[in-house]
Amino acid sequence: MEKVKVKTPAKINLTLEVLNKRPDGYHDIKSLMQSVSLYDFLTITKQEVSKDITLSGNKSDIPYDETNLCYKSAKLFFEKINLKDHGVNINIEKRIPVAAGLAGGSTNAAGILVGLNEMYNKPLSMEDMSQLAAKIGSDVNFCLHGGTQLATSRGEQLKPISTLDFNVIIIKPKALSLSTKDIYTKYSELFFPHNAQEEFVVEGPKFQNTELIINAINENNIENIALFLSNDLEKVALGMYEQIQDIKNKLISIGCLNAIMSGSGPSVFGIYNTDIDFYEHFAGYEMFETFTIDKGVSIY
Ligand code: ATP
């Protein structure tokens, strides 16, 4: 196959609990992750002459070099199947905002694994690809499987949950991007203030929002899904950027059942079940009217 096209959906976090800081510097989390119908589109084209992995795309705010997660993903794929001297161009048509808490880079990386696997006649199993995904980044395995998943450890361990259909509005302040690493570092300074050489666990009872939302999904109860949305990282981001609270307040005041920051932010999403004219209220923001989907990256 000379050319493969892959659709790579964004993710939101219905819950995100930061459980403890690990000796390796990462955090153990428990998060209910959900794929939504906002996509980047990748086109992978085999190169006849060049032996390099080259990148191109429609957005100037991502790197088109070896630091792009698509490049890392392609390199790992070729290493794994022991193919040297194979050149591909990867074109990234980006719609998912960058550094926005929507796993844009991770979903592209997952898309490259699936796309190259298709192009080279499926040398890797899903299990092989999951192992590569975990090496690229914490959210890449989720993006590979997609739908609704309970993610644990660094986020790479998954347990599938059934997907319920509902509308999700995503709003991002145009000029604001947050680095995942910075938000976790701030969170750690506030909530795990030890210089961790060993595991520190938050003491005391935790609200079981993740389990409550899983129950709500099983009961088809969108009101309860909205009620139990939670994100520990929001505590940090709200203190840094007033805009995030403003977006939440506005989404709720115009009829969303609830609204919360996604991942490490700054995107905020709202869940709703009535007609709402979001354009009227969010001129000047990046805005995406989406719905939940039950799969991750796919060939199209
Ligand atoms: P997450 O929700 O997984 O924490 P995010 O949505 O907050 O991720 P990304 O959009 O994945 O953040 O971007 C994070 C960083 O990765 C940016 O600084 C960006 O330059 C870099 N990056 C590398 N490759 C890509 C890519 N293909 N798409 C988007 N960002 C990329």
Side-chain angles (χ1 to χ4, degrees), residues 1-72:
M1 209 172 299
E2 297 306 303
K3 195 181 279 249
V4 172
K5 290 178 174 245
V6 194
K7 272 166 87 163
T8 71
K11 73 98 197 58
I12 55 169
N13 303 75
L14 300 174
T15 62
L16 202 176
E17 301 177 40
V18 184
L19 301 178
N20 60 269
K21 185 172 180 182
R22 303 164 20 146
D24 64 7
Y26 286 101
H27 294 81
D28 281 318
I29 63 163
K30 183 160 85 175
S31 178
L32 197 57
M33 296 187 181
Q34 174 67 57
S35 303
V36 291
S37 61
L38 163 63
Y39 301 94
D40 289 340
F41 297 91
L42 309 178
T43 306
I44 311 173
T45 312
K46 229 181 233 176
Q47 302 298 94
E48 294 308 331
V49 182
S50 163
K51 308 291 183 212
D52 298 329
I53 300 162
T54 56
L55 295 142
S56 54
N58 66 333
K59 278 276 176 78
S60 58
D61 54 356
I62 58 167
Y64 293 103
D65 57 19
E66 59 285 348
T67 62
N68 194 299
L69 291 178
C70 290
Y71 182 97
K72 292 186 180 168

Side-chain angles (χ1 to χ4, degrees), residues 11 61-63 67-70 92 94 97-106 108 139 178 180 264-265:
K11 73 98 197 58
D61 54 356
I62 58 167
T67 62
N68 194 299
L69 291 178
C70 290
I92 308 169
K94 210 159 237 317
V98 175
L102 301 170
S106 302
N108 293 171
D139 290 347
L178 296 184
T180 304
S264 51

Side-chain angles (χ1 to χ4, degrees), residues 81-100:
I81 65 167
N82 281 318
L83 253 193
K84 294 192 183 76
D85 295 343
H86 271 242
V88 287
N89 176 259
I90 297 167
N91 185 263
I92 308 169
E93 189 188 325
K94 210 159 237 317
R95 310 263 178 87
I96 305 171
V98 175

